[in-house]
Amino acid sequence: MKKSVSKLALLLFTICFSSIAFAQDFQGKAYYMSKTTIDMDQFGGGQMSAEQKKRMQDRMKSFLEKQYVLTFNKEESIYKEEEKLEAPGGGRGFRGFGSMTGGPQYKNVKSKEALQEQEFFGKQFLIKDELKDLEWKMGTETKQIGQYTVFKATATKAIDESDFTSFRRRGRDNDQKKENDKAKDSTKTGEKADTDSNNTLDELEIPKTIEVVAWYTPQIPINQGPGDYWGLPGLILEVNADRTTILCTKIVMNPEEKEDIDKPKKGDEVTQKEYAEIIAKKMKEMQEMYGGRGRGGRGGGRRN
């Protein structure tokens, strides 16, 4: 009990001291690395070979491993992916994923304004919405990230159809039973098996909510963070959300050359809800297209 009280007192003291020390016109840059892991067994019904899994992982690497820079002041921030040269043939992604590119993400914690440029299947969108609050539960657990003492906070975050990183197979707990049933079914033809493999998209779903663990430092007393994350009494240096980890690797305070934090402007303006509906519609089209391809082999796909 005494240990928790002392940590809480340390947190309050750090917040008060740091707030006084920061000038109104200060600016900083935080560099992050983001990595998402995906269970390859979720694709292809768990029937992919080790070589096929590795090949798919290599194609997805540019989508799942990224580096970002968060430029911030007391009220605003802009979160941008760092540009890098792709190896020949790299960065193509696979079906759908490679056709989705996130642009600069702007947050204003005073006006609660959120803006992001997003390209999806060759079309540019500007997602404009109100900055959504997360109901953080503040903890007293601490650790060190570089020279900064960080405190733990947790929250439950609602997600939508545009978040591909949380894809998972439906009824994952019953997968083994289904595999056993398939093995017993001696009447199943190779043609039917092909249909099942083409219907992988039909087996995928996105959960309604995910659990988020964030680590923030009151030594930088702004309530900003990477991506959608904000609202804590200090800069968020690490986020663990479902299968994604975002970790701050470097911080530069008051750089000699300050950067303008400009609002994104490119694209057709939509809300987050409208953009999620566009994603859902496209995913349905893909399900019908790839599912239909398997079924067409039986009746509609004549060959001369």
Side-chain angles (χ1 to χ4, degrees), residues 6-20:
S6 63
K7 284 189 175 182
L8 182 58
L10 172 63
L11 171 60
L12 294 173
F13 174 78
T14 306
I15 292 172
C16 293
F17 179 79
S18 299
S19 298
I20 295 170

Side-chain angles (χ1 to χ4, degrees), residues 127 129 132 160-161 270-278:
I127 304 173
D129 221 323
K132 293 177 174 62
D160 55 46
E161 286 87 347
V270 293
T271 64
Q272 184 64 50
K273 182 180 179 181
E274 289 169 339
Y275 182 69
E277 290 171 353
I278 292 168

Side-chain angles (χ1 to χ4, degrees), residues 73-275:
N73 56 35
K74 273 194 169 292
E75 296 177 358
E76 299 174 289
S77 71
I78 191 83
Y79 189 60
K80 296 180 181 179
E81 183 179 350
E82 284 195 292
E83 295 182 2
K84 59 181 178 180
L85 292 175
E86 295 288 354
R92 292 177 300 173
F94 71 105
R95 292 180 179 176
F97 292 108
S99 303
M100 181 176 181
T101 305
Q105 187 172 359
Y106 170 89
K107 298 195 296 286
N108 188 313
V109 297
K110 184 176 181 180
S111 65
K112 298 290 184 73
E113 185 178 13
L115 291 163
Q116 183 175 16
E117 292 177 3
Q118 187 80 48
E119 182 184 342
F120 184 62
F121 276 88
K123 187 170 182 179
Q124 191 76 29
F125 295 94
L126 179 64
I127 304 173
K128 183 176 182 179
D129 221 323
E130 183 178 342
L131 200 56
K132 293 177 174 62
D133 293 299
L134 283 175
E135 295 183 5
W136 293 107
K137 295 179 181 178
M138 313 275 283
T140 57
E141 186 178 342
T142 65
K143 67 177 183 178
Q144 288 291 126
I145 296 180
Q147 67 186 50
Y148 297 95
T149 299
V150 293
F151 288 78
K152 184 179 180 179
T154 58
T156 299
K157 182 186 178 187
I159 58 178
D160 55 46
E161 286 87 347
S162 63
D163 188 351
F164 289 111
T165 61
S166 292
F167 264 136
R168 61 201 63 194
R169 292 180 65 198
R170 300 179 193 274
R172 184 72 171 158
D173 294 339
N174 296 321
D175 280 354
Q176 190 58 52
K177 180 178 182 301
K178 290 179 181 178
E179 290 301 317
N180 292 340
D181 290 344
K182 287 179 183 179
K184 294 176 183 177
D185 186 1
S186 59
T187 64
K188 184 167 184 172
T189 65
E191 185 177 45
K192 179 66 167 60
D194 289 340
T195 302
D196 285 349
S197 64
N198 282 325
N199 280 336
T200 300
L201 285 171
D202 291 328
E203 299 176 2
L204 300 179
E205 65 178 352
I206 298 177
K208 299 295 183 184
T209 61
I210 57 173
E211 296 303 309
V212 177
V213 176
W215 296 88
Y216 67 96
T217 177
Q219 292 170 257
I220 304 177
I222 61 165
N223 53 356
Q224 293 279 3
D228 298 330
Y229 302 102
W230 71 287
L232 288 166
L235 180 65
I236 298 172
L237 300 190
E238 182 179 340
V239 173
N240 296 287
D242 199 30
R243 301 188 186 94
T244 298
T245 296
I246 307 172
L247 179 64
C248 183
T249 57
K250 183 174 74 171
I251 296 175
V252 178
M253 298 303 299
N254 290 315
E256 291 184 9
E257 294 185 12
K258 292 189 176 180
E259 182 179 322
D260 291 334
I261 300 178
D262 296 322
K263 297 180 181 181
K265 298 177 180 177
K266 298 178 183 178
D268 294 343
E269 190 174 307
V270 293
T271 64
Q272 184 64 50
K273 182 180 179 181
E274 289 169 339
Y275 182 69

